[in-house]
Amino acid sequence: MKKRALVTGITGQDGSYLAELLLEKGYDVVGMVRRSSTINFERIAHIQGEIEFASGDLLDEASMVEVLRQHQPDEVYNLAAQSFVQTSFSQPVLTGETTALGVTRLLNAIRQVNPEIRFYQASSSEMFGKVMEVPQSETTPFYPRSPYGAAKVYGHWITINYRESYDLHASSGILFNHESPRRGLEFVTRKITHGVASIKHGLTNEIRLGNLDARRDWGYAKDYVEAMWLMLQQDQPDDFVICTGETHEVREFCELAFKAADLDWTEHVTFDEAFMRPAEVDLLVGDCSKANSQLGWKPQTTFEELVRKMVESDIDLIGKQLG
């Protein structure tokens, strides 16, 4: 029997890489999309014909019950969320509705329809926020510094709550920043690489950025979706930090990105107060030794390779757009 997986947020960066991985492993893949949204299939255009789509919304529990009844998945990966930290400050209630309460609605739907379904929740390193210890592991206390981080903490704890209360196979991956050529343009890494490509093609001359001192643990999204899949293959559900264990400043990302295009970053990057967050997260760096020992997972792509991949992809992308 072929396994069947339902992926929410399938048109996003992680959803597209996860869908590819699951198809490679012989799964039937069902992607949940909101009927009301203007769906951008760009990231999954190359595999769109192999995916079944279902209309559902994290704001509407009845729609998720219907999707689960109709498609009967063995595994559900919840990757849908209002996932941009900056936006969560201007839309805190919507962020809570989708990123926090949406998880409860989905877990409740699973409990009603089929408690045997294995569930993956996309937790986030933003839950650590103002970090209580370095590096951060599964036992580090949370101290979120944004409505997004706070909503993710709720989603994380409600997953644990349903696992312990109703004996669901529900696991959370606490993923640190993970990037790729498919990252949204609103994220700082992609903003930098796309900006570098634009400068390389002579379309612009500067990139305006906020906090260059912020430090993150950046990995490659394609490596990270494998960890999601591995979690749902375990006999027992659990929570895992997924990261590289290395930390780099935004400034260092800039240096490498410009270097990949034979440019000097200091000539093109300017500071702009508008991109500072109301409450900044200064340092995130994880410890993935549990994932390493229990899942056999470790990151495959170096920081330098990741930055180069993204810059080359954007130079190629803009080149094609210019014809």
Side-chain angles (χ1 to χ4, degrees), residues 154-213:
Y154 176 96
H156 183 81
W157 279 111
I158 202 71
T159 301
I160 291 170
N161 193 262
Y162 269 66
R163 173 167 81 215
E164 294 177 352
S165 303
Y166 306 115
D167 200 26
L168 297 183
H169 194 298
S171 297
S172 288
I174 306 172
L175 270 58
F176 279 67
N177 293 63
H178 45 291
E179 318 297 316
S180 75
R182 299 180 194 173
R183 192 56 143 152
L185 286 166
E186 67 274 22
F187 291 87
V188 69
T189 49
R190 184 74 197 292
K191 182 180 172 180
I192 292 167
T193 62
H194 194 266
V196 166
S198 298
I199 292 166
K200 187 72 178 171
H201 280 291
L203 299 178
T204 182
N205 199 41
E206 70 164 5
I207 306 176
R208 304 176 79 80
L209 297 172
N211 185 6
L212 293 177
D213 300 321

Side-chain angles (χ1 to χ4, degrees), residues 96-268:
E97 282 286 356
T98 52
T99 308
L101 291 175
V103 186
T104 319
R105 294 185 190 104
L106 188 45
L107 284 164
N108 230 16
I110 286 170
R111 194 165 73 86
Q112 282 178 59
V113 177
N114 177 9
E116 295 302 305
I117 292 170
R118 295 190 172 200
F119 177 76
Y120 171 83
Q121 167 59 12
S123 288
S124 164
S125 59
E126 287 286 334
M127 301 189 305
F128 296 122
K130 189 175 178 181
V131 299
M132 299 286 99
E133 63 182 6
V134 179
Q136 294 91 53
S137 72
E138 291 80 6
T139 56
T140 303
F142 300 133
Y143 193 144
R145 299 270 281 167
S146 64
Y148 171 75
K152 280 292 188 185
V153 170
Y154 176 96
H156 183 81
W157 279 111
I158 202 71
T159 301
I160 291 170
N161 193 262
Y162 269 66
R163 173 167 81 215
E164 294 177 352
S165 303
Y166 306 115
D167 200 26
L168 297 183
H169 194 298
S171 297
S172 288
I174 306 172
L175 270 58
F176 279 67
N177 293 63
H178 45 291
E179 318 297 316
S180 75
R182 299 180 194 173
R183 192 56 143 152
L185 286 166
E186 67 274 22
F187 291 87
V188 69
T189 49
R190 184 74 197 292
K191 182 180 172 180
I192 292 167
T193 62
H194 194 266
V196 166
S198 298
I199 292 166
K200 187 72 178 171
H201 280 291
L203 299 178
T204 182
N205 199 41
E206 70 164 5
I207 306 176
R208 304 176 79 80
L209 297 172
N211 185 6
L212 293 177
D213 300 321
R215 298 170 72 179
R216 294 288 183 273
D217 182 326
W218 276 302
Y220 182 31
K222 193 173 181 177
D223 293 345
Y224 284 34
V225 297
E226 189 179 0
M228 300 175 184
W229 176 77
L230 284 166
M231 284 177 219
L232 297 201
Q233 312 316 308
Q234 306 305 304
D235 293 335
Q236 297 301 320
D238 206 346
D239 306 319
F240 295 90
V241 162
I242 303 300
C243 61
T244 68
E246 291 177 13
T247 184
H248 301 276
E249 289 182 346
V250 173
R251 181 180 284 100
E252 195 182 337
F253 195 102
C254 279
E255 280 175 35
L256 284 172
F258 278 92
K259 192 174 159 193
D262 298 318
L263 295 165
D264 179 355
W265 77 280
T266 57
E267 293 173 12
H268 303 282

Side-chain angles (χ1 to χ4, degrees), residues 29 33 44-45 65 74 85 237 262 306 315-316 318:
V29 177
V33 290
I44 52 169
V65 168
D74 303 290
V85 175
D262 298 318
L306 170 65
I315 288 174
D316 188 42
I318 292 176

